[in-house]
Amino acid sequence: MRNRIIELFGIKYPVISGGMVWCSGWKLAAAVSNNGGLGLIGSGSMHPETLLEHIQKIKKATNKPFGVNVPLLYPQVDELMKIIVAEKVPIVFTSAGSPKKWTGFLKKQGIIVAHVIASSYFAKKCEEAGVDAVVAEGFEAGGHNGREETTTMTLIPSVRKATSLPVMAAGGIGSGKAMLAAMALGADGVQVGSRFALTQESSAHDNFKKLVAELGEGATKLSLKKLAPVRLIKNEFFKQVAEAELRGADAGELKTLLGKGRAKRGMFEGDLEQGELEIGQVAAQFKDIPSAGDVMTRLIAEYEQVRKELVEGASFNF
């Protein structure tokens, strides 16, 4: 493979593991990088000293490119950025905020910057801000989502038209077939979240992984839209949120209901009833918990096989 994402990040395959809270520690990031992709450490669930520990450990675990995902709304983002620069992290993916604030700072340090967006409008803003690439994430994705609720299949062609930047598709990408479809729509690569959340190297709790492996279609829903839209598994906590939203609860009441540490309680500590459980719609397709290396092998093998079949078998009668 040769394309802009491969060349930009210096990787073998245009596959990035999403920087997911409570799932994307150094072990998962290193495994993806060692198998030809770009592994991201998810700093959104880490104290600054925890991020430092994960960066130092991944440096010992791989000599391949890796990166850190930084949600810009993180309260100690200044401290995270100082650590990233001091530790000479080569790549940063920013999300949940304006790319203008940190892109110039990071690029002056020689860091490659990508930003996660959910609309063509913000793709243009990223280009104006000097970002090197964008992740266009459809609302199928797990975790926090765009308010526009645009699907990946609709979003990618629109973003492709709106910007000349390299584009990575995210949301609903869990197979080589989906990867090929995204690239056919104009993506240069893919960011994969849920499939890597359900791997042996994921730092999520085993209870969470086992539950995800048993999910069926319709098991997740976008919730908490008055705060920040997030895709949740339908558990007891989700029911409480749904009931509150149905009776017209305002943002303050929802914030109180959410409380602090709810996502950690669910995904990291394994409370499947009262925890906040985030995963994408595509998780309904996964019934095993393989290694990250196996996921990479499957993705690329299926991508190549299906691409070959489509090229050799293409014939249309009109």
Side-chain angles (χ1 to χ4, degrees):
M1 289 186 181
R2 288 186 62 82
N3 73 6
R4 294 196 295 169
I5 291 298
I6 287 173
E7 292 169 1
L8 177 64
F9 297 135
I11 54 181
K12 186 175 182 181
Y13 305 117
V15 177
I16 291 83
S17 64
M20 302 166 286
V21 295
W22 304 115
C23 297
S24 299
W26 71 269
K27 288 183 181 179
L28 176 57
V32 173
S33 290
N34 282 332
N35 283 277
L38 178 67
L40 297 183
I41 295 171
S43 70
S45 53
M46 297 180 178
H47 295 297
E49 61 271 19
T50 307
L51 175 61
L52 176 60
E53 177 186 351
H54 280 254
I55 291 172
Q56 292 177 342
K57 285 184 175 180
I58 196 173
K59 286 180 177 179
K60 295 177 181 178
T62 185
N63 61 0
K64 305 293 185 182
F66 72 93
V68 175
N69 173 266
V70 182
L72 297 179
L73 296 179
Y74 185 89
Q76 295 172 285
V77 67
D78 294 42
E79 293 181 49
L80 297 187
M81 292 301 189
K82 289 178 183 177
I83 290 170
I84 285 166
V85 170
E87 291 297 314
K88 301 186 185 313
V89 173
I91 301 163
V92 169
F93 279 48
T94 52
S95 59
S98 170
K100 289 183 178 180
K101 184 172 182 179
W102 288 100
T103 297
F105 168 81
L106 292 169
K107 292 192 71 173
K108 284 181 181 178
Q109 308 299 322
I111 296 172
I112 298 168
V113 180
H115 190 73
V116 182
I117 50 97
S119 71
S120 299
Y121 173 80
F122 281 106
K124 294 176 183 177
K125 290 296 182 182
C126 285
E127 190 159 5
E128 293 171 5
V131 168
D132 295 297
V134 295
V135 179
E137 185 177 71
F139 98 120
E140 300 96 320
H144 290 285
N145 242 299
R147 295 186 181 278
E148 297 84 357
E149 298 189 21
T150 306
T151 65
T152 303
M153 182 166 281
T154 302
L155 180 63
I156 299 307
S158 298
V159 170
R160 177 72 288 152
K161 289 179 181 178
T163 180
S164 61
L165 292 174
V167 176
M168 292 158 279
I173 314 292
S175 65
K177 291 178 181 179
M179 178 178 170
L180 182 61
M183 295 178 79
L185 290 170
D188 300 285
V190 294
Q191 178 174 285
V192 177
S194 297
R195 177 66 278 191
F196 284 123
L198 198 63
T199 58
Q200 295 167 18
E201 294 88 350
S202 164
S203 50
H205 196 283
D206 284 345
N207 289 352
F208 175 71
K209 295 180 188 179
K210 291 174 183 176
L211 174 66
V212 172
E214 297 172 355
L215 295 179
E217 293 179 4
T220 69
K221 189 173 181 180
L222 208 60
S223 303
L224 295 168
K225 297 179 186 179
K226 290 181 180 178
L227 293 178
V230 60
R231 183 168 296 282
L232 300 178
I233 294 174
K234 296 177 181 178
N235 65 348
E236 181 57 36
F237 168 66
F238 168 84
K239 291 178 182 177
Q240 295 170 18
V241 171
E243 290 170 0
E245 291 179 327
L246 185 62
R247 68 170 184 270
D250 61 17
E253 182 180 346
L254 292 173
K255 189 174 182 179
T256 300
L257 178 59
L258 179 62
K260 292 184 178 180
R262 182 81 70 166
K264 179 182 180 182
R265 181 175 176 180
M267 291 181 283
F268 193 69
E269 297 177 347
D271 186 339
L272 302 184
E273 291 303 321
Q274 293 300 327
E276 180 183 352
L277 306 178
E278 305 175 10
I279 204 73
Q281 287 181 331
V282 73
Q285 299 176 13
F286 311 143
K287 302 304 174 188
D288 61 348
I289 308 174
S291 69
D294 285 342
V295 169
M296 285 294 300
T297 298
R298 293 181 199 175
L299 281 171
I300 302 307
E302 186 178 70
Y303 171 90
E304 293 290 0
Q305 180 62 35
V306 176
R307 183 177 65 85
K308 181 180 178 182
E309 290 173 357
L310 286 175
V311 170
E312 292 179 350
S315 61
F316 302 94
N317 297 313
F318 296 103

